[in-house]
Amino acid sequence: MSAAPIGILAGGGPLPAQVAEAIEATGGSVFIVGFQDFVDVARIAHWPHRVVRLAAAGELLTALRTAGCRDIVLIGPVKRPALRDLRPDAEGARIMARIGRALFSGDDGLLGALVRVLGEEGFRIRGAHEFLTRSTGQVGALGQIAPDDQARQDIARGIRVIRALGALDVGQGCVVQDNLVLAVEALEGTDAMLSRCTTLKQPGPGGVLVKTLKPGQERRADMPTIGPSTLDNAAATGLRGVAFEAGATLLTDPEACVARANALGLFLYGIGPDMMRAGLQGE
Amino acid sequence: MSAAPIGILAGGGPLPAQVAEAIEATGGSVFIVGFQDFVDVARIAHWPHRVVRLAAAGELLTALRTAGCRDIVLIGPVKRPALRDLRPDAEGARIMARIGRALFSGDDGLLGALVRVLGEEGFRIRGAHEFLTRSTGQVGALGQIAPDDQARQDIARGIRVIRALGALDVGQGCVVQDNLVLAVEALEGTDAMLSRCTTLKQPGPGGVLVKTLKPGQERRADMPTIGPSTLDNAAATGLRGVAFEAGATLLTDPEACVARANALGLFLYGIGPDMMRAGLQGE
């Protein structure tokens, strides 16, 4: 008899399938519950799966239990739901009542509450980074280009900005050019923030996109993600590179990210613990 | 012999003329130096004036001294200059060398340095709020509508966000809806931030625009400003109101701001010292 399958609660993008592949590569099996309107069904069709509405918590829990799952992983973006569109089933309504106030607070409050509720339902919540170890990014320059001194100062400034905001459960990213903060990410997402930097950028060497975890961010529910398109957008905005918190960021398709960075002439830089601390000690 | 005229260094918008009117109303006289590409020449034509390029510091200092100015006021928006477009005159180049590193740092660093340099040149820098006492906004609801409990919580959250960022010399504004931070202002300005909230807003009661001074912000050079168009943009984005730091925000045309707020069904709320402190003590 084989071990219990790991349940994957799947939002959008390529990461749910990558987690499934990674689990199978180590001899495990999976059962995927995809969230309707978010999951890319074609990408998960290869594995046993079911698609449910986000608020159909009863259906979701039953599906996971029927499949025999004990461990589950949340992976792939799901937009913060518009409450009036949720239409929860009976179990969903019960869970929403348990989550209560956190439904209305920042993203982390909501996701943290979800992880807590699933834990109370008897599941063990695993982080996608436990499986996608190849994809969480190493310390230092991943491609051929390294940040120069100015870019490293801009990265340090970005670390401080994200930490200051992150303590208030806002944002995971910002753009810094030559010590000037061009843009700060809140609910609009990284791509929208990059897009407006096209008109905000200053003459001279381009800026840097910095993404790190918020302090206390529930990385089992929501890790910062970088893909090849992030690098495309960064280049289109005139940036010189992208810096991320090594070990705390998911690179969708790391090889493609590095190849794209090299082709575009950008650096792709993993911020290590020393630089995280140094950034926080400045100013 | 009359007292020396007060020198007004004028950027865009209606405020330079309002400062000139306020000074004349108390028996003083003015001499206006308008910054080319920013000043609205038609609005200052009524007073003795001269238009100079932003970086023509020699011309600017000579004009102020020839007019006999000792006290000067900086008022009206001037975009952070693109360095390659500055073309400083000889005095401008000397001053840029004195400002040095601050040219490349946040807005406050630059403006603070400018105030310092003008002080070293023998001028006394006055704040526009010293003259526009009617325009700095009182504590409490200025119009017919007051923020409800949720809106007051959103204002408190906004105060914390701006303070956290402001300590890093970023931003003067943010939008909060139902405890969720929709957007944070960096270099794009308040109107651009409001504009993107149209797609970020959540169902339910609308959000609040919060504007306060950054900690340590040089209010003699750059105060947050709210005009009737700010209220128009806030209403277009579905917000319920605008909150500003009383005594530390310039309302261009206060009567028109209140009338517009009433007509649009928005609150226009002056945050007093107690609420500033309470906002900072939360969380």
Side-chain angles (χ1 to χ4, degrees), chain B residues 70-230:
Chain B
R70 296 291 308 275
D71 289 17
I72 59 182
V73 187
L74 287 76
I75 183 68
V78 171
K79 262 181 34 186
R80 188 178 195 273
L83 293 183
R84 70 173 164 207
D85 298 331
L86 274 179
R87 296 180 296 119
D89 63 12
E91 185 68 29
R94 274 212 307 126
I95 289 178
M96 283 172 68
R98 261 154 81 188
I99 294 180
R101 184 72 195 159
L103 271 176
F104 304 94
S105 67
D107 282 345
D108 281 3
L110 178 60
L111 291 167
L114 193 62
V115 166
R116 200 184 66 237
V117 163
L118 288 167
E120 289 166 3
E121 291 291 329
F123 295 100
R124 188 158 75 111
I125 317 301
R126 310 278 296 269
H129 57 288
E130 298 176 42
F131 306 105
L132 298 176
T133 47
R134 251 178 7 100
S135 305
T136 53
Q138 285 107 57
V139 175
L142 301 197
Q144 290 155 355
I145 300 162
D148 63 15
D149 281 351
Q150 177 60 53
R152 291 175 65 91
Q153 286 180 36
D154 288 347
I155 293 169
R157 182 134 210 243
I159 292 169
R160 294 192 291 274
V161 166
I162 300 175
R163 286 289 158 133
L165 270 182
L168 297 164
D169 191 13
V170 180
Q172 302 182 333
C174 66
V175 174
V176 183
Q177 181 188 15
D178 201 8
N179 207 34
L180 183 70
V181 179
L182 299 186
V184 172
E185 178 185 343
L187 207 65
E188 73 275 25
T190 302
D191 290 340
M193 175 183 64
L194 285 175
S195 160
R196 73 174 177 273
C197 289
T198 308
T199 56
L200 299 173
K201 68 182 172 194
Q202 308 290 304
V208 178
L209 167 64
V210 184
K211 291 188 68 143
T212 78
L213 275 183
K214 294 178 256 191
Q217 182 169 345
E218 176 51 80
R219 75 174 76 186
R220 290 178 300 173
D222 177 38
M223 284 175 82
T225 303
I226 288 172
S229 68
T230 313

Side-chain angles (χ1 to χ4, degrees), chain A residues 80-85 101 104-107 150 153 157 160-162 164-165 167-170 177-189 196 200 202-204 283, chain B residues 80-85 101 104-107 150 153 157 160-162 164-165 167-170 177-189 196 200 202-204 283:
Chain A
R80 188 177 194 274
L83 294 183
R84 70 175 165 206
D85 298 332
R101 184 74 196 155
F104 304 95
S105 66
D107 282 346
Q150 178 59 50
Q153 287 182 34
R157 181 133 210 241
R160 292 192 293 272
V161 167
I162 300 175
L165 270 182
L168 297 164
D169 192 13
V170 181
Q177 180 188 14
D178 203 7
N179 207 33
L180 183 70
V181 179
L182 299 187
V184 172
E185 179 184 344
L187 208 65
E188 73 274 24
R196 75 174 175 271
L200 300 174
Q202 307 290 306
E283 287 193 6
Chain B
R80 188 178 195 273
L83 293 183
R84 70 173 164 207
D85 298 331
R101 184 72 195 159
F104 304 94
S105 67
D107 282 345
Q150 177 60 53
Q153 286 180 36
R157 182 134 210 243
R160 294 192 291 274
V161 166
I162 300 175
L165 270 182
L168 297 164
D169 191 13
V170 180
Q177 181 188 15
D178 201 8
N179 207 34
L180 183 70
V181 179
L182 299 186
V184 172
E185 178 185 343
L187 207 65
E188 73 275 25
R196 73 174 177 273
L200 299 173
Q202 308 290 304
E283 286 193 4

Side-chain angles (χ1 to χ4, degrees), chain A residues 223-261:
Chain A
M223 284 175 80
T225 303
I226 288 171
S229 68
T230 313
L231 292 154
D232 289 337
N233 292 337
T237 301
L239 302 191
R240 294 197 290 160
V242 174
F244 61 88
E245 188 172 349
T249 308
L250 287 175
L251 303 181
T252 65
D253 201 341
E255 290 79 11
C257 285
V258 171
R260 196 71 60 94

